[in-house]
Amino acid sequence: MKRLTGLDTGFLWMETPTSAMHVSGLAIYDPSDLVADGGTFGIDNVREMVRGRLHLAPPFRQRLVDVPLQLHFPLWIEDPDFDLDRHIRRVGVPAPGGPRELAELAAQLNAVQLDRSRPLWEMWYIEGLEGGRVATLTKVHHAAMDGASGSEITVALFDLSPEVVQHPEPDEPWQPDKVPSEVEMLGYAMSSLARQPLRVLKALRRTGQAALDVRNLTRQPGHELAPLPFTAPATSINGAITPRRSIATTSVSLSDVKRVKNAFGTTVNDVVLALCAGTLRQYFDRRGEEVDGPLLAMVPVSVRPEEARADMGNQVSSMFTSLATDVHDPVARLAAIHEGMIGAKEQHRAIGAETLTDWAEFAAPAVFGRAMRLYARMGLADRHRPIFNVTISNVPGPPFALYSAGAKLEANFPLGPIFDGAALNITVMSLEDSLDFGILTCPDVVDDVWSLADGLQAALDDLLAAADAKPPAKRPARSTAKAKPKAAAKPRARKSA
């Protein structure tokens, strides 16, 4: 039995009838080599592979238990009624089974919220793709994991070769928990709440120090504050959403992104943000929509220390950065994004990783949950300036091939949640030499999600053309002075074998 943190619980509270707060991964496999060698790749193979690795993915067997009257945060317990067959299901994609048919099916499946009476995940095995390919859509609630812990689970469910590795069971076999009584949960809640005054004092001290650090940072010459929430321009993509979802996917060359990064002295993440900025700028231009100022992106940031990589749950913060969509030239836009990210990172370090998680521990579960449902029901997102315009998340993936149940993973498109006022989520994950973009939105707010996917490659082409046209850096002139002769190297004694 383990209590959820305030941040984990926050993702439960944010869930409303129109906002499903799970993260998803749409993976595409090519089993042709496996089949040619006499093997099979079906739902039974996938189910048995997952069954043999459940001990490597703790959230897969844990379910929620609510504290009576929502006096405190819920608990995770090892589900005494766990049944793997309830979580892995099969479905077929309509003909001809291309990317758009797959994305439409994935959007329908992604719109359905997870059942809170069971462990908060499910996997859909999807047949009928063109070329004999197969896909899986895996959904896990954000309360159970963030991007970093999700990557750890991804590693656990994949192999580095077509050979399926058998993972040994832990020394202590898995044991289900007894569902705690209401009296036990109330006692647990009271014990935890009794320690809150000390936590409040620590949070106040850290927040005060963070305020001083930010003030000192802004006084440094040439430093400007990163954009603040609620300074984003009002746009058509920032209204109240409905339960419907639409998805688009695309991949670009990681080598090409690195060529741009190297040519202009930025980072891969800066280029990713610039690609998103380019396609969003084109989206609004096609619609003839005037945007009053540069778009503001919320960029999730992992604050998970190295020693806690295997821990589940959320250890994540966020930065706000301008996408410089008011800048016409793509190279100048990339440079502005790069400078903005430098300032955002400095400000984020000054604030500290614990500030958000500190104060999340003191929210009242019952009050916050009802407030979020009321906010959605009244459509209040249409009545105030957006907190930010778009969520853009870049999750590092492996630079090598992965296999699942013997089949090669061709692409892995991550899909993050959306909510009222933030109807567009663009998440990217690398795999070998590819950057796989998953774009999720509400079709009643963003009516042409595939134009955004198509615009990413066009934005990259613009930056590649500029990188290729950039004159090579001049090498420093060689000195005409005669170089002094080098001293002869002293012979080294050989070591005996």
Side-chain angles (χ1 to χ4, degrees):
M1 187 169 65
K2 179 183 177 183
R3 178 178 73 82
L4 274 71
T5 66
L7 189 57
D8 294 341
T9 310
F11 289 109
L12 291 175
W13 297 334
M14 290 177 68
E15 195 160 67
T16 70
T18 59
S19 299
M21 293 305 297
H22 52 254
V23 293
S24 306
L26 181 60
I28 300 176
Y29 304 93
D30 180 5
S32 57
D33 290 342
L34 177 65
V35 173
D37 291 337
T40 59
F41 185 76
I43 187 171
D44 292 335
N45 304 95
V46 173
R47 185 183 290 113
E48 290 311 305
M49 181 273 297
V50 174
R51 191 187 307 278
R53 304 184 185 195
L54 285 171
H55 60 287
L56 303 175
F60 280 19
R61 289 188 289 202
Q62 296 173 343
R63 74 171 174 89
L64 289 172
V65 177
D66 284 322
V67 173
L69 305 178
Q70 291 189 321
L71 290 177
H72 205 27
F73 304 136
L75 307 173
W76 290 120
I77 66 167
E78 302 295 332
D79 185 12
D81 301 317
F82 177 73
D83 183 353
L84 184 63
D85 292 337
R86 294 178 177 178
H87 295 268
I88 301 181
R89 305 168 188 172
R90 176 166 51 192
V91 68
V93 68
R100 298 204 174 208
E101 290 80 19
L102 175 60
E104 184 175 354
L105 174 62
Q108 294 172 7
L109 297 174
N110 207 72
V112 180
Q113 297 187 1
L114 294 165
D115 184 352
R116 293 197 184 186
S117 68
R118 302 172 182 170
L120 294 178
W121 72 280
E122 66 183 23
M123 178 185 290
W124 290 89
Y125 177 87
I126 304 173
E127 303 171 314
L129 274 66
E130 59 186 5
R133 289 167 174 78
V134 176
T136 58
L137 178 71
T138 305
K139 300 161 51 179
V140 184
H141 203 284
H142 214 323
M145 69 178 196
D146 56 21
S149 55
S151 295
E152 293 299 311
I153 291 180
T154 298
V155 170
L157 296 180
F158 286 99
D159 295 310
L160 302 181
S161 70
E163 182 181 354
V164 180
V165 176
Q166 301 299 322
H167 291 266
E169 290 287 336
D171 294 335
E172 294 185 11
W174 178 78
Q175 292 289 337
D177 285 329
K178 178 181 72 70
V179 179
S181 67
E182 291 189 354
V183 173
E184 288 175 318
M185 287 188 285
L186 286 172
Y188 191 88
M190 293 300 103
S191 174
S192 182
L193 289 171
R195 295 190 292 270
Q196 279 205 352
L198 181 60
R199 296 190 189 116
V200 169
L201 290 175
K202 290 181 178 178
L204 285 170
R205 185 171 65 251
R206 273 201 286 251
T207 303
Q209 184 60 51
L212 289 174
D213 291 343
V214 171
R215 187 189 66 176
N216 293 335
L217 183 65
T218 56
R219 288 179 173 179
Q220 294 178 8
H223 183 87
E224 295 183 5
L225 274 174
L228 297 174
F230 292 102
T231 61
T235 76
S236 61
I237 68 173
N238 295 114
I241 64 175
T242 71
R244 298 203 306 148
R245 296 293 179 265
S246 59
I247 288 171
T249 59
T250 192
S251 299
V252 302
S253 165
L254 179 57
S255 294
D256 286 346
V257 168
K258 288 181 177 178
R259 276 174 54 200
V260 173
K261 181 260 298 186
N262 294 334
F264 298 109
T266 65
T267 68
V268 167
N269 193 56
D270 294 336
V271 179
V272 167
L273 292 172
L275 301 186
C276 296
T279 193
L280 284 166
R281 180 183 166 91
Q282 290 300 316
Y283 175 83
F284 289 116
D285 284 348
R286 282 191 300 272
R287 292 172 56 88
E289 181 175 346
E290 294 287 339
V291 179
D292 183 19
L295 297 179
L296 180 63
M298 189 274 282
V299 182
V301 181
S302 175
V303 294
R304 186 179 302 272
E306 188 64 27
E307 62 272 15
R309 284 191 61 184
D311 294 348
M312 295 296 109
N314 288 271
Q315 296 186 43
V316 65
S317 183
S318 58
M319 294 188 300
F320 295 91
T321 186
S322 168
L323 292 181
T325 45
D326 55 338
V327 178
H328 173 73
D329 180 69
V331 175
R333 190 183 312 133
L334 173 60
I337 290 171
H338 175 65
E339 290 301 318
M341 282 299 291
I342 291 175
K345 290 173 185 175
E346 290 176 345
Q347 189 167 314
H348 185 264
R349 283 193 294 268
I351 293 173
E354 297 90 356
T355 303
L356 175 62
T357 54
D358 278 348
W359 290 107
E361 290 294 310
F362 310 122
V367 174
F368 194 94
R370 292 190 183 99
M372 289 302 298
R373 290 191 291 273
L374 180 64
Y375 180 86
R377 188 165 61 248
M378 296 183 64
L380 296 179
D382 292 327
R383 305 183 187 183
H384 64 78
R385 199 175 185 91
I387 303 174
F388 55 88
N389 298 112
V390 57
T391 302
I392 303 176
S393 182
N394 183 9
V395 182
F400 43 77
L402 293 176
Y403 298 81
S404 178
K408 189 177 189 297
L409 177 65
E410 277 199 345
N412 192 18
F413 302 107
L415 301 163
I418 58 172
F419 45 90
D420 282 304
L424 181 62
N425 185 301
I426 304 176
T427 306
V428 58
M429 180 177 285
S430 57
L431 175 65
E432 296 190 84
D433 189 40
S434 178
L435 283 179
D436 297 331
F437 285 80
I439 307 174
L440 185 138
T441 188
C442 171
D444 297 305
V445 179
V446 178
D447 55 10
D448 187 9
V449 67
W450 281 99
S451 68
L452 292 173
D454 295 339
L456 290 167
Q457 182 62 56
L460 179 56
D461 290 341
D462 289 341
L463 288 170
L464 283 170
D468 292 340
K470 187 172 183 270
K474 293 183 179 181
R475 294 183 179 180
R478 290 185 178 180
S479 174
T480 57
K482 291 184 178 181
K484 295 182 179 179
K486 293 183 178 179
K490 295 182 179 179
R492 293 183 179 178
R494 292 187 178 180
K495 291 184 179 179
S496 59

